Amino acid sequence: MLACILGFGLAYGVQLWLGTGFFWLAGLLSLTLAWGCGLVLTRNLARSLAALEIGLLNFKDNDFSVSIPVSGDPQLQGLARLFNEAADKLRKERQYIYQRELLLDKVIQSSPNVMLLLDDRQRVLYANDAARHLFYQGQRVDGLMLDELLSAMPAELVAAVAQGKDGLFVMGEDEPETWHLSRGRFLLNNQRHQLILLKQLTRELNRQEVAVWKKVIRIISHELNNSVAPIASMVNSGKLLTQDLDEPKLRLIFDTIADRTHHLSQFISDYAKFARLPLPKLEAIDWSKLTGQLAQHYPFSLAAPLPEAPGLCDPIQLEQVLLNLLKNAHESGSAPEDISMSIVSGEQGGSKGVSIHVDDRGPGMSAEVLEQALLPFYSTKQAGTGLGLALCREIIEAHEGRIGLSNRQGGGLSVSCWLPMT
């Protein structure tokens, strides 16, 4: 455009000068004006191109906050508008991606699954909170080598990672836990990366198992109630019809049927209570008052001073748990003076809580019984229902806690419960 204007002015001036000398001054004036317009246009074009260049350099540095002025030639104005629209769209998309990244990071950090992202040299690039607590006591592990993290880990975990395959492995001695290891390999920015995921399956499998038991209990309870209720009603009717008859054997038959139906109804009620355990209602608990109430039912000694701070849990459900555990301790054959309880404040996995132990000096449990003792219907007692420890476990896990059984050195059983208080 500038060249055309200059050419037109020059040609016009030369034509006037050549055609008639009289008009040479007019030609010179036209040439000057054309030159001045060209300088203005060149200056505007330079400024627009410089602004566009700065904007593109900011794009290159991932800075989309810049916008350029809309001025000058209509074509330059259109170009400036397109640039500003592109910058605005990129700003919005970047903000959207940033929010999604924050949400994803929050989900990953809150996940109980252990997650490690490694580069091709087995250096840790990213680790979530669960990984930091498993491998490094909650401290940051970014930049460490995988071998450094595994140096203090159990041999089962080290062997599972070294195999380079997905699979299950068991870790732990006192309370063995089943874990699943999976890994994925991918290219990111033309570099090889590896993602390692560790998922604890023990609690998940146990919850699914308990859920199945609850469903079975509800079905059986429903069917038994449908049969027991008519039987009880017919027994009462039979008693009324034969009350004038002097038949001791007949009264004995009716009384026996009534007693057994009552026992069966109570049996069904206990199982239904387990299958429909309500959610815990958290309240502040005075440990001294709670232990005093428990001692009125089953005597025991305190193995450690009670926490000064009150606890936070469902008092009725927790009392039911401790009564069951103390009852089992007394029925184990242990001397009453050897039965003890301890309630100690502490911290596990980064959360504060209390650790409760009920210990006795009975015969303890075999390895097979220890594996099955927390399951519904399982009991080693002749008249046991198999609900005591199963109900304890259900209550403790409803409080987001854990329960475990282990034999004591020198004989006896120790039942441990962990209850978070945050």
Side-chain angles (χ1 to χ4, degrees):
M1 181 185 296
L2 177 61
C4 293
I5 294 173
L6 293 175
F8 174 76
L10 181 61
Y12 182 68
V14 171
Q15 181 180 4
L16 290 177
W17 182 73
L18 291 175
T20 56
F22 183 76
F23 295 106
W24 67 271
L25 184 59
L28 181 60
L29 181 60
S30 299
L31 181 62
T32 304
L33 290 174
W35 182 262
C37 293
L39 289 177
V40 172
L41 291 174
T42 303
R43 200 174 294 119
N44 290 338
L45 179 62
R47 282 198 296 266
S48 298
L49 292 176
L52 184 61
E53 181 182 7
I54 293 173
L56 293 175
L57 288 174
N58 286 335
F59 279 10
K60 185 178 179 181
D61 294 334
N62 292 323
D63 181 8
F64 308 122
S65 62
V66 67
S67 60
I68 61 177
V70 180
S71 60
D73 184 84
Q75 293 181 343
L76 294 176
Q77 291 181 11
L79 186 61
R81 290 192 188 94
L82 288 175
F83 178 89
N84 293 337
E85 290 174 3
D88 182 63
K89 186 174 182 180
L90 289 172
R91 279 195 300 270
K92 292 179 180 178
E93 290 184 353
R94 183 175 183 178
Q95 182 66 21
Y96 174 74
I97 294 174
Y98 178 69
Q99 293 175 351
R100 293 292 296 270
E101 288 179 348
L102 286 179
L103 177 61
L104 179 60
D105 184 71
K106 182 67 175 179
V107 171
I108 292 175
Q109 294 298 334
S110 303
S111 173
N113 299 331
V114 175
M115 180 179 296
L116 286 175
L117 179 63
L118 312 173
D119 62 11
D120 56 349
R121 295 183 298 168
Q122 300 293 291
R123 186 181 299 277
V124 179
L125 300 179
Y126 180 86
N128 65 347
D129 188 64
R132 290 193 294 270
H133 280 91
L134 176 65
F135 290 104
Y136 219 56
Q137 299 179 348
Q139 303 179 38
R140 295 185 63 86
V141 299
D142 300 358
L144 298 180
M145 302 300 294
L146 180 61
D147 291 341
E148 297 180 61
L149 297 183
L150 296 176
S151 59
M153 290 291 101
E156 297 86 354
L157 175 57
V158 177
V161 174
Q163 284 181 356
K165 299 178 181 179
D166 298 353
L168 299 174
F169 65 96
V170 178
M171 183 169 60
E173 296 180 358
D174 296 336
E175 297 181 13
E177 296 177 341
T178 303
W179 291 75
H180 178 262
L181 183 145
S182 61
R183 66 185 76 218
R185 294 177 176 84
F186 56 92
L187 285 176
L188 183 64
N189 296 329
N190 292 325
Q191 294 184 354
R192 296 184 180 276
H193 290 73
Q194 182 179 184
L195 182 66
I196 294 179
L197 293 176
L198 289 169
K199 184 177 182 180
Q200 185 179 356
L201 296 181
T202 304
R203 176 170 294 187
E204 181 178 342
L205 292 174
N206 288 341
R207 286 187 181 276
Q208 293 178 359
E209 192 174 14
V210 171
V212 172
W213 280 118
K214 284 185 174 183
K215 186 175 181 180
V216 171
I217 290 172
R218 285 194 292 268
I219 294 173
I220 294 176
S221 299
H222 177 74
E223 295 300 325
L224 288 177
N225 275 324
N226 288 341
S227 300
V228 170
I231 293 174
S233 177
M234 291 175 65
V235 169
N236 290 329
S237 298
K239 283 184 176 181
L240 292 175
L241 292 174
T242 60
Q243 61 183 353
D244 296 331
L245 298 177
D246 187 14
E247 290 290 342
K249 292 184 178 180
L250 189 59
R251 285 198 301 270
L252 178 61
I253 292 173
F254 282 137
D255 290 341
T256 303
I257 296 175
D259 290 341
R260 297 313 301 169
T261 53
H262 176 74
H263 175 77
L264 186 56
S265 295
Q266 186 62 43
F267 180 83
I268 296 170
S269 176
D270 291 340
Y271 275 96
K273 185 187 301 183
F274 168 77
R276 295 181 176 87
L277 182 69
L279 292 176
K281 298 178 181 179
L282 303 184
E283 299 178 11
I285 289 184
D286 185 336
W287 297 115
S288 178
K289 181 179 178 181
L290 175 63
T291 53
Q293 293 172 346
L294 294 172
Q296 295 178 5
H297 299 276
Y298 300 100
F300 62 91
S301 61
L302 287 173
L306 295 173
E308 296 181 0
L312 187 64
C313 54
D314 190 309
I316 298 177
Q317 292 187 2
L318 181 60
E319 184 178 11
Q320 181 66 49
V321 169
L322 297 179
L323 283 174
N324 284 343
L325 298 182
L326 290 171
K327 177 175 178 290
N328 289 343
H330 279 269
E331 293 177 351
S332 67
S334 172
E337 59 271 16
D338 291 333
I339 297 174
S340 63
M341 179 189 298
S342 64
I343 304 176
V344 181
S345 298
E347 184 173 340
Q348 290 186 15
S351 62
K352 296 181 179 179
V354 294
S355 179
I356 303 175
H357 285 77
V358 176
D359 301 333
D360 62 56
R361 283 300 181 186
M365 292 183 177
S366 65
E368 179 183 357
V369 174
L370 282 175
E371 292 180 2
Q372 307 293 329
L374 295 174
L375 294 178
F377 301 120
Y378 186 86
S379 177
T380 57
K381 301 175 184 177
Q382 185 175 1
T385 61
L387 280 181
L389 287 176
L391 182 61
C392 292
R393 168 185 168 180
E394 189 69 11
I395 291 174
I396 294 298
E397 291 188 352
H399 284 76
E400 300 298 329
R402 299 184 298 276
I403 184 171
L405 309 173
S406 61
N407 289 318
R408 302 176 64 190
Q409 291 185 356
L413 184 72
S414 177
V415 183
S416 61
C417 302
W418 167 258
L419 290 172
M421 293 294 163
T422 55

